[in-house]
Structures are given as structure tokens and as C-alpha cells.
């Protein structure tokens, strides 16, 4: 009866011994694994030439626009243009009823003829009075009266000529022409309507659309940097702009037209205007566009992928450097995002191996095995 009990005890002791041996082997393997360096993906910090730009919202405005108005009162007789078409300066747009103005011109011309006849008669009488005065055949008062009549007749002729000129102008205003070349909108009046009565009625609107302006605002500090770099030659073609229409493939290069002379006290920005060719008529007045401006040309700049940057306990940006002594925490100063990369202003040296994607699992001093990842820099 005692033999089976002894056998069971031996089996249990053998199992415990085997488990202890296996556990010891496992702990030894884990300790050996912990001594191996971690493989980490790194990018090599390499200085590259970087053209720093800024994207700003802008609005398209026409170079010139005109509210075409009726300058005399009259009934619209005929329209001479297609709505939405391009017109040239001086092109006939509308005709008003010219009959009343032809009559007025004829009346003014007749009055001019009458005053000229009176002037001729007064001139003849004045010459005769001068001769008689020399012979003392008339009094001085008669001579003065003849001279005054001549001066009055001369003034009447001038007034009659002015009336003729005014009547001629009014007759010409019955033909409403385009004051500028551009694209005309819809007709604001139709045949048979009375226009110009007690006010200068707007009959059409013309906008010059090639080229066009784009108005936008820029932070004063950035604009001063651009101007300084352009002046010193660090930034070539600093006045070159590019307009893009979001959601489309429209991209148009232009140039800076002017910079404002005052700073907006509320926003600290300064107004600028760019000029862009618009041969295809794709840029329309009132359209919002994105304006790319060239700010600064930096010959040596560092760019890092976004996932290479982490935040320390103080909230400031930092990177992990794979050095021969292990992982090193390096504080940095970031600039602006350029595509999917950060522009690093300070904290990096050429050749630094920056760890990407492992900031949460590594500690300072950890031994790592860097695996280099090719990095593509974007100049913008």
C-alpha cells in the first residue's frame, strides 16, 4: 500500500524540478534579448536650399470697370451689343431718340447766325462812328454807344456758339458708346424705356478682365522680410506671385503691382495687389483665390517629417537623435509646415540621425540600431 504513494511523490518532485529548469532557461533568454539594440528608422539631417513661401487668400478685381450711364434724357431706340460679349472702347452700345436734340441743334445754329449778323452790323456802325468821331461829326457819347453795341454783339455771338456746342454734345450723347474695352454684362435697360430723366441712368456695366488684379493682405513682418531679401539680392524674383483657384487646376503666375502705404491697426497686415494675365478669362471678378508669395530664400535649411517631432513635458518640440552613446533628446525650434514636413529653425546639425516613429518606446540612453530612410525635401 505504501509503494504507490512513494511513486506519486517522486513524479510530483520531478515535475517541479523540470518546471524550475525551464523557467530558469526562459529568464536567461529574456535577459539576453534585452541586451540587444532596438532597430529604429532614422532620417539623416541634411541642409537643403529652401524657398519659403506663404499662402494668402485674395480676391479678383478688374483692372478697370465702368458704369455706362445715359448722359441725356431720351427714349431707348436700339441696343447694339450682345450681352456678355467683349466690346471695344468707342463701340456703340445704345441709341436714344435723337429727334428733339436735332431740333435743339438747329435752333442753336439759327440763333448763332442771327447774332453773327447783328455783330456784323454793329461792327460796321462802330467803324463808321470812329471815322465820324475823328471828323468831330458825332459826339463822344455816340461813339461810346457804338463801341458798347459792338461788344454786346460780340458776346452774343460767343454765347450762341456755346449753345451750338452744347446742342452738338447733347445730340452726340444720344449715341451711348463704351468708355473702355472689356466685357459687358447684361443690358440694364431695354428699347422703349425712358432714361436719363433727372438722373444719369446706368444702362450697362463693363469690366476689363485681361489682365486682372488680385487684392490680398500680408503680415507686416513677412512683407518686410520679403522686401529686405529682394533688396539685398537674397531673394530673386521676389515680386513673382502665383494665383491658384482651390478645387480646380487653375494656376496663373503674375507679379506684384503695388504695396500699400498703411498698416491695418486691427490685424497688423498691409494691403498688396498683384497683376495676373487672364487670356482665357478664367479669373472672374469677385472670385476668391490663394496667392503664393515668395518670402525668403534660405540656402541651408533642415526639414523633418512630422512624425519625427514630439513634445516634451514642457510642451516644447523635441527630437530623438540616434548617437553612438545611445538615444539623445534634442530640443528644437520649428518654423512652418511645408507640405508634410516641418521647417526646423534651430537644434539640428548636419549628419544628425533623427529617429522617426519610436518616440513613445525609447528612453534617453537606449542603445539603438539605426535604419536609414530616404527623405524627400520639398522647396516651397
Amino acid at each position: 500500500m505504501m509503494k504507490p504513494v512513494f511513486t506519486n511523490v517522486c513524479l510530483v518532485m520531478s515535475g517541479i524540478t523540470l518546471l524550475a529548469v525551464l523557467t530558469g532557461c526562459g529568464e536567461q533568454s529574456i535577459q539576453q534579448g534585452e541586451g540587444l539594440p532596438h532597430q529604429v528608422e532614422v532620417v539623416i539631417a541634411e541642409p537643403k536650399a529652401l524657398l519659403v513661401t506663404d499662402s494668402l487668400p485674395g480676391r479678383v478685381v478688374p483692372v478697370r470697370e465702368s458704369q455706362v450711364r445715359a448722359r441725356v434724357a431720351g427714349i431707348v431706340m436700339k441696343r447694339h451689343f450682345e450681352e456678355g460679349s467683349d466690346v471695344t472702347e468707342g463701340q456703340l452700345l445704345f441709341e436714344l431718340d435723337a429727334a428733339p436734340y436735332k431740333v435743339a441743334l438747329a435752333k442753336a445754329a439759327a440763333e448763332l447766325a442771327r447774332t453773327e449778323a447783328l455783330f456784323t452790323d454793329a461792327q460796321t456802325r462802330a467803324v463808321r462812328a470812329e471815322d465820324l468821331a475823328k471828323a468831330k461829326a458825332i459826339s463822344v457819347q455816340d461813339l461810346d454807344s457804338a463801341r458798347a453795341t459792338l461788344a454786346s454783339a460780340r458776346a452774343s455771338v460767343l454765347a450762341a456758339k456755346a449753345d451750338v456746342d452744347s446742342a452738338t454734345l447733347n445730340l452726340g450723347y444720344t449715341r451711348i458708346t463704351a468708355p473702355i474695352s472689356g466685357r459687358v454684362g447684361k443690358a440694364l435697360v431695354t428699347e422703349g424705356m425712358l432714361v436719363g430723366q433727372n438722373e444719369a441712368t446706368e444702362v450697362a456695366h463693363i469690366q476689363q478682365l485681361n489682365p486682372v488684379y488680385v487684392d490680398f493682405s500680408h503680415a507686416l513682418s513677412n512683407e518686410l522680410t520679403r522686401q529686405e531679401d529682394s533688396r539685398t539680392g537674397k531673394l530673386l524674383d521676389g515680386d513673382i506671385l502665383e494665383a491658384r483657384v482651390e478645387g480646380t487646376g487653375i494656376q496663373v503666375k503674375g507679379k506684384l503691382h503695388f504695396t500699400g502705404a498703411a498698416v491695418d491697426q486691427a490685424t497688423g497686415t498691409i494691403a498688396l495687389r498683384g497683376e495676373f494675365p487672364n487670356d482665357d478669362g478664367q479669373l472672374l471678378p469677385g472670385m476668391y483665390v490663394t496667392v503664393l508669395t515668395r518670402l525668403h530664400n534660405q540656402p541651408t535649411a533642415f526639414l523633418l517629417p512630422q512624425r519625427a517631432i514630439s513634445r516634451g513635458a514642457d510642451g516644447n518640440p523635441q527630437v530623438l537623435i540616434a548617437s553612438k552613446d545611445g538615444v539623445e533628446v534634442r530640443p528644437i525650434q520649428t518654423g512652418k509646415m511645408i507640405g508634410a514636413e516641418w521647417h526646423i529653425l534651430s537644434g539640428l546639425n548636419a549628419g544628425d540621425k533623427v529617429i522617426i516613429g519610436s518616440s513613445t518606446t525609447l528612453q534617453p540612453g537606449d542603445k539603438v540600431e539605426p535604419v536609414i530612410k530616404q527623405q524627400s525635401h520639398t522647396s516651397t
Side-chain angles (χ1 to χ4, degrees), residues 6-146:
F6 177 76
T7 302
N8 292 338
V9 171
C10 290
L11 291 173
V12 171
M13 292 300 294
S14 298
I16 293 174
T17 302
L18 180 60
L19 179 61
V21 172
L22 293 175
T23 303
C25 292
E27 290 178 353
Q28 184 178 1
S29 298
I30 293 173
Q31 290 174 358
Q32 291 176 354
E34 288 178 350
L36 297 176
H38 297 281
Q39 280 194 348
V40 294
E41 196 174 32
V42 301
V43 292
I44 305 299
E46 297 176 347
K48 301 287 185 179
L50 176 66
L51 177 61
V52 182
T53 64
D54 199 3
S55 298
L56 304 166
R59 176 178 284 184
V60 179
V61 295
V63 171
R64 293 195 297 171
E65 59 181 328
S66 174
Q67 295 178 341
V68 185
R69 296 181 179 273
R71 304 177 70 173
V72 293
I75 301 295
V76 178
M77 302 300 293
K78 191 174 182 180
R79 173 165 61 89
H80 290 271
F81 68 93
E82 293 293 331
E83 295 176 315
S85 64
D86 292 330
V87 297
T88 58
E89 183 177 350
Q91 180 177 332
L92 180 62
L93 302 180
F94 291 95
E95 276 187 272
L96 304 182
D97 184 10
Y101 297 97
K102 291 179 179 179
V103 172
L105 177 57
K107 183 178 180 180
E111 179 63 19
L112 174 61
R114 189 183 69 83
T115 56
E116 286 178 341
L118 293 176
F119 172 74
T120 301
D121 180 67
Q123 191 174 36
T124 302
R125 290 176 179 274
V127 171
R128 187 180 300 113
E130 293 287 347
D131 294 338
L132 293 175
K134 291 178 181 179
K136 298 185 183 301
I138 60 173
S139 64
V140 176
Q141 182 177 0
D142 291 337
L143 177 61
D144 292 340
S145 178

Side-chain angles (χ1 to χ4, degrees), residues 307-329:
R307 59 196 184 103
I309 313 261
S310 60
R311 296 282 174 177
D314 56 1
N316 293 324
Q318 62 183 20
V319 294
L320 299 182
I321 305 296
S323 66
K324 62 180 180 178
D325 297 327
V327 175
E328 174 190 346
V329 179

Side-chain angles (χ1 to χ4, degrees), residues 25-332:
C25 292
E27 290 178 353
Q28 184 178 1
S29 298
I30 293 173
Q31 290 174 358
Q32 291 176 354
E34 288 178 350
L36 297 176
H38 297 281
Q39 280 194 348
V40 294
E41 196 174 32
V42 301
V43 292
I44 305 299
E46 297 176 347
K48 301 287 185 179
L50 176 66
L51 177 61
V52 182
T53 64
D54 199 3
S55 298
L56 304 166
R59 176 178 284 184
V60 179
V61 295
V63 171
R64 293 195 297 171
E65 59 181 328
S66 174
Q67 295 178 341
V68 185
R69 296 181 179 273
R71 304 177 70 173
V72 293
I75 301 295
V76 178
M77 302 300 293
K78 191 174 182 180
R79 173 165 61 89
H80 290 271
F81 68 93
E82 293 293 331
E83 295 176 315
S85 64
D86 292 330
V87 297
T88 58
E89 183 177 350
Q91 180 177 332
L92 180 62
L93 302 180
F94 291 95
E95 276 187 272
L96 304 182
D97 184 10
Y101 297 97
K102 291 179 179 179
V103 172
L105 177 57
K107 183 178 180 180
E111 179 63 19
L112 174 61
R114 189 183 69 83
T115 56
E116 286 178 341
L118 293 176
F119 172 74
T120 301
D121 180 67
Q123 191 174 36
T124 302
R125 290 176 179 274
V127 171
R128 187 180 300 113
E130 293 287 347
D131 294 338
L132 293 175
K134 291 178 181 179
K136 298 185 183 301
I138 60 173
S139 64
V140 176
Q141 182 177 0
D142 291 337
L143 177 61
D144 292 340
S145 178
R147 289 173 176 174
T149 301
L150 177 61
S152 177
R154 183 181 291 111
S156 297
V157 170
L158 295 176
K161 286 182 177 180
D163 289 340
V164 170
D165 292 340
S166 178
T168 303
L169 283 175
N170 289 337
L171 179 60
Y173 290 153
T174 61
R175 294 172 56 85
I176 302 176
T177 59
I180 62 173
S181 298
R183 184 168 299 172
V184 63
K186 67 178 181 179
L188 302 179
V189 296
T190 60
E191 290 83 353
M193 291 183 61
L194 175 63
V195 297
Q197 189 68 36
N198 301 324
E199 63 178 3
T201 307
E202 184 177 1
V203 297
H205 192 85
I206 300 175
Q207 296 176 315
Q208 184 176 326
L209 303 181
N210 189 23
V212 293
Y213 290 143
V214 174
D215 291 339
F216 61 100
S217 297
H218 205 185
L220 179 61
S221 57
N222 289 341
E223 177 58 21
L224 293 178
T225 299
R226 186 197 66 79
Q227 292 181 7
E228 177 63 22
D229 285 2
S230 296
R231 186 165 48 250
T232 57
K234 295 180 181 179
L235 180 63
L236 300 178
D237 298 326
D239 291 343
I240 298 299
L241 304 174
E242 183 175 333
R244 298 178 180 176
V245 181
E246 297 297 332
T248 70
I250 300 176
Q251 297 183 6
V252 183
K253 290 189 179 296
K255 61 182 180 179
L256 185 66
H257 184 63
F258 79 86
T259 302
V263 177
D264 190 320
Q265 297 181 0
T267 61
T269 59
I270 190 168
L272 294 94
R273 169 171 283 182
E275 182 178 323
F276 296 85
N278 193 29
D279 298 334
D280 298 332
Q282 294 178 310
L283 300 178
L284 301 176
M287 178 185 290
Y288 283 99
V289 298
T290 299
V291 181
L292 271 68
T293 63
R294 302 183 180 190
L295 294 183
H296 179 61
N297 190 17
Q298 190 171 344
T300 56
F302 293 102
L303 294 176
L304 287 181
Q306 186 174 4
R307 59 196 184 103
I309 313 261
S310 60
R311 296 282 174 177
D314 56 1
N316 293 324
Q318 62 183 20
V319 294
L320 299 182
I321 305 296
S323 66
K324 62 180 180 178
D325 297 327
V327 175
E328 174 190 346
V329 179
R330 181 85 59 80
I332 59 171

